[in-house]
Amino acid sequence: MKTLFNALRAAIFGVGFIFLWGWVALEVHRRYDDTLGFALAGWTRVLGITVMAAGGILAFACVATFVTRGEGTPAPFDPPRKFVAVGPYKFVRNPMYIGGFIVLLGFGLYEQSAAILVFTLPWLLLAHLFVILYEEPHLRATFGAPYENYCRSVRRWLPRRSPVG
């Protein structure tokens, strides 16, 4: 029952996160695409769907891992109760942000929006700043030595070819 409740909360937070960043991306598209002065080719729509699906699968795997193994959600105000270093987290420390970035990139391709594609860079910078200024210090304080060992063996953004441990 607890897992079901965690999954429900994670789904609600995830849908809110998707709507928020989707709305921001569409506003960027609406306001700035004409000013950039170039359009993307029609074939990018199909590529965008594929890229969004790949990012969505990665993000969903991260959420499922948080719910089932971490006993929590991805939301900073409702985080996992247990340290999670399995699933996608064996390869890279921030796969959920990578999945979100890939979804946003795919959305830009699907919308044929140069503005959304450009927007992915400041989005990634904001995610990086959030990770180093809030998330990592919080995880160090919460999980201590296991998290320190994890940081020494798993990269922050660039996945390893083979999983650790």
Side-chain angles (χ1 to χ4, degrees):
M1 189 62 148
K2 184 167 74 170
T3 301
L4 181 62
F5 185 60
N6 288 341
L8 181 62
R9 290 193 331 268
I12 291 167
F13 301 150
V15 167
F17 188 80
I18 291 166
F19 279 133
L20 169 69
W21 288 109
W23 174 78
V24 170
L26 286 173
E27 282 298 304
V28 166
H29 171 60
R30 186 180 64 78
R31 291 178 185 218
Y32 300 107
D33 251 341
D34 291 338
T35 62
L36 290 175
F38 67 94
L40 299 176
W43 59 266
T44 62
R45 292 185 76 93
V46 173
L47 178 61
I49 291 169
T50 305
V51 171
M52 281 191 293
I57 290 167
L58 177 57
F60 180 80
C62 294
V63 172
T65 302
F66 272 15
V67 167
T68 59
R69 301 296 288 274
E71 297 180 5
T73 75
F77 50 84
D78 187 19
R81 278 69 174 155
K82 294 181 178 177
F83 178 59
V84 176
V86 297
Y89 294 91
K90 291 188 303 187
F91 297 92
V92 65
R93 292 197 317 251
N94 298 293
M96 195 172 319
Y97 296 112
I98 294 169
F101 170 76
I102 292 169
V103 168
L104 190 58
L105 189 69
F107 189 58
L109 292 169
Y110 176 77
E111 288 293 322
Q112 300 173 314
S113 172
I116 293 175
L117 294 178
V118 170
F119 173 68
T120 62
L121 299 176
W123 185 93
L124 195 56
L125 176 63
L126 285 174
H128 177 69
L129 291 173
F130 180 75
V131 164
I132 63 171
L133 296 176
Y134 170 75
E135 199 168 84
E136 287 180 355
H138 176 72
L139 291 170
R140 278 187 182 86
T142 303
F143 297 111
Y147 183 71
E148 287 293 337
N149 293 335
Y150 175 69
C151 288
R152 282 192 288 276
S153 61
V154 178
R155 297 179 187 150
R156 183 182 286 139
W157 295 112
L158 297 175
R160 295 185 178 274
R161 289 179 192 230
S162 59
V164 173

